[in-house]
Amino acid sequence: MSNESSPNWETGLTALEALHDPGQIQQQVLLDILRYAGAWGGLIAMTGRDGGPFQVLCTQHVPAAVLNRLPEITLMDGSAFAAAMHGGRPFRLGDTHSVPQTADPQADDLSGTVIVPVHDRDGPVALLALYAPHGLGDAQLARLQRLGRQVLPSLQRAQLLRALRSSEAQAATMLEVLEEGVMLVDLSGRPVQANAAAHRITGLTDLREFPNVFDPAWKLMDPAGFPLPTGAYPAVQALRTGVTVRDTQVLFTRPDGGWIIASLNAIPLLEGGQQAGAVVSFTDVTASYLLQRQLEAQALHDPLTGLPNRRQVTTLLKQLCGERPPPPTAVMIVTLHNFPNLLDRIGRQGADRLIQLVAQRLEDAVSDRGVAAHLTEHEFLLLLTRPGPSGPAGPDSLAGSESLAGPESPGEPDRSDDPAGQWAAQLLNRLNGTFDLDGQAVQVTFRLGYALHPEDGRTPAELLRHADLALKHTGHSPAARRFEPVMAADVERRLRLEECLQRAVTTGTLSVHYQPVMAVPQREIRSLEALLRWQDPVLGTVSPAEFIPVAESSGLINDLGTFVLREALCQAVRWNARRRAPLSVNVNVSVTQFSSGAFPDVVRDALTRTGADPRWLTLEVTEAVAAQDLPSVTRQLHALKALGARIALDDFGTGYSSLALLSQLPIDFLKLDRLLVQGVHLDPRRQVLLRSVVHLGLELGFVVVAEGVELPEELSFVQACGCAHVQGFLLARPQSPQQLNLNAPHH
């Protein structure tokens, strides 16, 4: 076949650009080359950069011998064929020494086959194998060599299209197996593709049912059920701004009327650096959303009562405090009076049922005017907002006033101008009373403290703290009390006292004064009671009535008690070193000092350190101490007696007075409370009582001491009763060791 009859190759290249199927492009290239070369048959094969073997792309009338030989031929064997391929020179396979031989007799006649290498800049990437029985001249081979370079772009385009189609098929397969819905939208917002999960999640069975993403027909809402404007749709935001939007939760209503909570992502889609649309992905998160809401509800509500807990009510209070102008709000803390005693009486199951009934009453009382919350085991919080129209003050209706605040006087408050106070008082009247616990009638009383916003505090922390302070100031009686600034001042004073008292233990600002216990009528000093005194450089003189309770509550009482004990014993050693008749010191012991059970060891250590005779020490305990844990206290008192110390029962005759204690405790002294003594000469009934107690103590073998004697008439009556030991201001006040004159007569 002559070259003149072959097609124009440039025209063929132009025609190839209209083809988009990889196989069609490769086959058309081969046919055009065969016609151009006048060849009867041939093939196109590709080789890798690693040197082979060859991969056949397409064939036309190729002898079986050639196809069979190709897998055996590589560019790495060092043959003349490999050299020709690397050199870009056409090669005739008729040279039987240039390629591996085969045992197949049909493969012997290859003289009509010509190989034309196809190169890119880096070397051979393909070959054209042409079978022309009539042979090809050198001029034809030269043209074919140039032609190989021209067909390379078409072959590469075919390979690229094949790879792209393979990638698209893989991507489509991946999209279909995803559990996540994926929707592709163009720049106008029109959905152009959606995978199976997108149809399943939305309930839209046909792509044509998907509205444009700018269309309000989607009816997207936030999870709370409020409609979203289309401008807030994630896909719209991504298309308008070119910024990715992630993890937006929306409520979507399906065509069947059911709804789901979906989590949406919208990612801008770029082509050639220009935005061409967006990829919208979404997941049905309804189950996890509902579970999260359930967990949040449980975290914000008390499981026993179902009422909001402290966390939720504090959040509500923050919102109220943040409003401008701030609305009048009452924060009330309600607690069951003497709950520990109730718990002992009705048990845990009964207590839980009682708390549920109280919660129900409080919720009914608050109604739509606020919130009732459960704070702790037996403590509730009421959050009441601005009262409504005028009406009688009470749990069902706060008085109609522009403010919940009103003046309040000390003691029993005047609540005529305090709607919150009126409401609180009537609430207690409604709560106090009998509760039926499955047939068991239980009498319950309540206490209430409240603070008003913004008058009594502007932050949740302040309001809660001030309401709690008001509750503490109700004392031990069922009452309602509003916060007063003096309550906060008391707390500040108490904290300051505790801080200074901690320093005083080590700085030497504490001292011990002594009040004599006299034997009458001789008025001789028999012992001295050690009394702690505190002169602070900043606070000045602090009364024991103020700092002892602080020491008790803070745990400092043990340090103070040890200080007094050692100081008193040291002083006894100094005094008795110069006396024939020894003096003893009386040291008071608190409940806390006995609580650990190790107090006898503390006393033993103090005696060892000071070198004092144990007989010089009398330890005074009150009936309240013994009543805390009688077996433990009795055991420790016996241990103290074994050391050689003596025991006095202090403040006898009031409080926890019990005649049984007199027979159970190993005591030596019975000290009568000052309330039995003061004004006894004016009250015949108290005279009978004092006379009987003194007689009882003497009969039991105790040394009886009358405390608080301040008047001569009181002293005369005490002596007349047979009480020979007296302590009081009439005879001697507490003094420092330097002020005391132990040898002077006392009048």
Side-chain angles (χ1 to χ4, degrees), residues 202-203 253-259:
T202 62
T253 303
R254 293 161 52 94
D256 59 6
W259 58 269

Side-chain angles (χ1 to χ4, degrees), residues 492-510:
E492 292 296 328
R493 169 75 175 179
R494 189 178 184 90
L495 293 174
R496 185 73 182 277
L497 283 174
E498 182 177 336
E499 180 183 347
C500 293
L501 191 56
Q502 287 175 332
R503 289 199 303 266
V505 173
T506 56
T507 57
T509 56
L510 295 172

Side-chain angles (χ1 to χ4, degrees), residues 268-288:
L269 182 63
L270 302 179
E271 288 184 2
Q274 299 295 319
Q275 187 168 347
V279 178
V280 183
S281 63
F282 43 92
T283 307
D284 183 351
V285 295
T286 307
S288 60

Side-chain angles (χ1 to χ4, degrees), residues 517-520 524-527 584 586 618-620 641 646-652 662 665-673 693-707 718 721-727:
V517 176
M518 301 286 191
V520 291
E524 294 178 353
I525 298 177
R526 294 300 172 83
S527 65
S584 66
N586 295 18
T618 299
L619 297 166
E620 297 190 7
K641 290 275 287 184
R646 293 181 293 180
I647 308 298
L649 185 61
D650 196 16
D651 298 335
F652 184 79
L662 299 180
L665 298 178
I667 60 177
D668 303 287
F669 297 89
L670 186 66
K671 300 188 73 173
L672 307 183
D673 191 273
V693 172
V694 171
H695 180 72
L696 176 64
L698 294 174
E699 284 291 313
L700 291 173
F702 306 142
V703 175
V704 180
V705 181
E707 293 186 291
V718 166
C721 291
C723 182
H725 293 79
V726 175
Q727 184 178 1

Side-chain angles (χ1 to χ4, degrees), residues 600-619:
D601 295 330
V602 175
V603 174
R604 182 183 296 105
D605 179 71
L607 290 169
T608 301
R609 287 171 178 266
T610 60
D613 190 324
R615 293 173 296 177
W616 301 344
L617 175 63
T618 299
L619 297 166

Side-chain angles (χ1 to χ4, degrees), residues 104 131 262 414 436 451 528 542 545 598 628 646 678 712:
D104 186 354
Y131 182 68
D414 175 12
D436 182 6
L528 297 105
V542 186
Q628 293 295 316
R646 293 181 293 180
Q678 288 182 334

